[in-house]
Amino acid sequence: MAKLTFTGGIHPYDGKDLSKDKPIKAILPKGELVYPLSQHIGAPAVPVVAKGDHVLTGQKIAEAGGFVSAPIYATVSGTVKAIEPRRVVTGDMVTCIVVDNDGLYEEVTYGPCRPLEELTKEEIVGMIREAGVVGMGGAGFPTHVKLSPKEPDKIEYVIANCAECEPYLTSDYRRMLEEPEKLVEGMKVILRLFDHAKGILAVEDNKPDCISLLKKLVMDEPDIQVKELQTKYPQGAERQLIYASTGRAIHSGMLPADAGCIVDNVDTIVAIYQAVREGKPLMHRIVTVTGDAVADPRNFIVRIGTNYHELIEEAGGFKTQPEKIVSGGPMMGFALFGLDVPTTKTSSALLCMTEDEVARYAPSACINCGRCVEVCPGRVLPSKLADFAEHGEEEKFLAYNGMECCECGCCSFVCPAKRPLTQVIKSMRKMQLAKKKK
């Protein structure tokens, strides 16, 4: 039987061997913790503490600023040092709550959790909202909003994005190996919200150990199945994942719910489990610290707000001074100019490379080879769209379906002329989305 996949895509060096075989290590932060009020799509959270207040681990320090928003919780005990703008991974200055860690890690007492069978759908969604759960695959969309579609009866599939197609990242892989029960139980929580839905654990076939483990766990679960996907980037992109898993296609004007699907990544589903079955808010996430410049690449379970400098220290520091540091993976991450930034709910990886291969090559003229078209999972014409974007031809950009680009980076990766196709198209898409929002 052919492996499930989509049209297009690439096979870059995956770099996963650096960290995939090392167990997750828990670390305790040493310095101050910084909590940006914008760690999600939507309205920033609103502080409910003031400078000088003493806080405990698990205490709410900022409440949701609207329906599309999420609260934030302290991940250490200590004193609120300031509420002020701080630099984040994107380079922006964002208002943050700064907590001086007292090193005691005193924690609030969590209330008893009722059995899942006794909870109403509204109570489950409310617990997820109150826990501050957002999409932890990178987008940061508040999960309670995603789990509240207009027509819940039309949801037929809940897909766990277990693909982890981005090179170098192994945090989801380790989570599936070490805590697969939490993933399966989290899926059961989500399925309680949708009467007609089946669960799909969609895993790339380069993770046979995870596939075997998950299949054993769901053997007696008629509503959950494991699907093996072909290993290919960007297999984990939302549209490509839905098509590979269900055969259903969506475009930029649709939501997954319009195709009867809900998609959440591994860490998000585990956070849902912890919110509903353990009564705990979102305070931790797994971060892959890797790259050929890192002495001991591995995955850490990190308290949100921890400084990136501390992650590098825990990984043994740099064995070679890196030329390039990226927050996230090499295909869709953000290049960093410094490490004095905090981890957030959406921090998936810290990638440190000894050489900046991209900066070595100067772009040249398009040679019309068509490689970008062959690999584009969005089935658009990247070279044309980049031309339109560079010349500010907005109408042509839209006419050639520029909004269907998923910004995966495949076109830039294969371009022999080394044109920054994805980056140029992304800038134009950003402009169009801002105009639409306005």
Side-chain angles (χ1 to χ4, degrees):
M1 179 181 168
K3 289 291 191 296
L4 305 172
T5 191
F6 60 96
T7 304
I10 57 175
H11 295 87
Y13 165 66
D14 69 8
K16 294 181 186 288
D17 286 344
L18 293 172
S19 59
K20 76 181 186 70
D21 295 324
K22 297 174 184 175
I24 298 167
K25 180 183 178 183
I27 60 174
L28 292 174
K30 304 176 186 70
E32 65 184 21
L33 282 289
V34 177
Y35 305 96
L37 296 177
S38 294
Q39 298 188 37
H40 49 263
I41 289 174
V46 179
V48 292
V49 292
K51 183 178 178 180
D53 286 355
H54 181 72
V55 297
L56 300 175
T57 305
Q59 179 181 329
K60 186 191 289 187
I61 56 175
E63 61 186 7
F67 177 64
V68 184
S69 186
I72 297 167
Y73 290 80
T75 56
V76 296
S77 57
T79 305
V80 177
K81 179 180 176 181
I83 299 176
E84 63 187 19
R86 290 287 185 98
R87 189 82 61 188
V88 295
V89 293
T90 57
D92 299 323
M93 295 293 286
V94 173
T95 302
C96 300
I97 298 173
V98 184
V99 174
D100 253 335
N101 180 8
D102 62 13
L104 300 175
Y105 302 100
E106 296 174 309
E107 196 160 355
V108 301
T109 302
Y110 305 107
C113 292
R114 289 157 54 201
L116 182 61
E117 297 73 24
E118 294 180 10
L119 297 171
T120 66
K121 295 175 183 179
E122 292 75 19
E123 286 174 326
I124 291 171
V125 172
M127 293 170 81
I128 294 168
R129 178 179 62 244
E130 186 61 20
V133 181
V134 304
M136 295 165 74
F141 191 75
T143 301
H144 70 275
V145 181
K146 184 182 284 190
L147 297 180
S148 306
K150 290 180 181 178
E151 299 177 287
D153 287 343
K154 291 187 178 180
I155 300 300
E156 296 178 68
Y157 297 105
V158 176
I159 304 171
N161 184 354
C162 309
E164 197 166 45
C165 63
E166 180 85 28
Y168 290 92
L169 272 62
T170 56
S171 56
D172 287 349
Y173 171 76
R174 291 308 311 181
R175 177 76 91 174
M176 287 186 282
L177 271 189
E178 297 182 40
E179 298 182 315
E181 299 86 0
K182 291 184 178 181
L183 173 61
V184 173
E185 291 300 317
M187 174 62 80
K188 289 182 188 177
V189 172
I190 302 175
L191 291 176
R192 283 276 298 170
L193 301 174
F194 305 106
D195 297 332
H196 310 296
K198 302 286 186 183
I200 296 174
L201 305 177
V203 192
E204 281 192 324
D205 60 1
N206 64 349
K207 305 174 184 67
D209 41 3
C210 291
I211 291 170
S212 174
L213 194 55
L214 291 171
K215 280 185 174 180
K216 285 180 184 176
L217 283 175
V218 302
M219 193 181 296
D220 298 322
E221 301 292 341
D223 291 336
I224 305 176
Q225 63 176 314
V226 178
K227 288 198 175 185
E228 299 177 44
L229 311 181
Q230 182 180 320
T231 299
K232 181 167 61 169
Y233 179 84
Q235 189 71 264
E238 198 167 59
R239 292 183 223 167
Q240 283 64 49
L241 188 73
I242 290 172
Y243 182 78
S245 302
T246 69
R248 300 182 178 187
I250 64 171
H251 54 73
S252 63
M254 298 171 66
L255 294 171
D258 297 327
C261 299
I262 297 287
V263 181
D264 276 311
N265 92 312
V266 171
D267 243 7
T268 307
I269 294 175
V270 171
I272 288 170
Y273 162 80
Q274 291 171 333
V276 177
R277 305 303 297 272
E278 297 179 353
K280 295 181 179 178
L282 176 55
M283 297 185 290
H284 302 80
R285 70 154 301 131
I286 301 175
V287 179
T288 304
V289 181
T290 187
D292 59 359
V294 176
D296 183 22
R298 63 189 310 148
N299 295 285
F300 298 104
I301 187 154
V302 176
R303 293 176 185 243
I304 291 164
T306 303
N307 192 283
Y308 273 9
H309 273 298
E310 295 190 34
L311 302 189
I312 293 297
E313 287 175 16
E314 290 289 343
F318 295 127
K319 61 181 180 183
T320 309
Q321 194 60 32
E323 279 190 5
K324 187 88 163 188
I325 301 178
V326 177
S327 176
M331 301 301 293
M332 297 189 73
F334 297 96
L336 296 179
F337 55 84
L339 288 169
D340 190 18
V341 290
T343 54
T344 64
K345 296 177 182 181
T346 58
S347 300
S348 59
L350 185 57
L351 175 62
C352 308
M353 311 297 290
T354 55
E355 296 180 5
D356 185 354
E357 294 183 22
V358 176
R360 285 182 178 182
Y361 303 100
S364 57
C366 174
I367 62 172
N368 296 312
C369 65
R371 292 183 196 175
C372 60
V373 180
E374 288 177 10
V375 302
C376 178
R379 316 315 298 152
V380 293
L381 305 174
S383 56
K384 279 270 189 194
L385 293 174
D387 286 340
F388 297 146
E390 285 174 339
H391 294 96
E393 297 180 277
E394 297 181 30
E395 290 183 10
K396 288 183 179 179
F397 182 86
L398 295 173
Y400 275 74
N401 298 314
M403 301 310 288
E404 296 307 310
C405 168
C406 65
E407 302 176 8
C408 65
C410 289
C411 54
S412 296
F413 181 82
V414 300
C415 179
K418 307 300 179 187
R419 298 179 69 199
L421 300 169
T422 305
Q423 292 83 347
V424 175
I425 294 169
K426 183 177 181 178
S427 295
M428 177 61 84
R429 288 186 77 251
K430 228 175 179 181
M431 192 186 304
Q432 296 307 312
L433 289 169
K435 282 187 176 182
K436 188 176 179 182
K437 191 176 179 181
K438 202 171 181 181

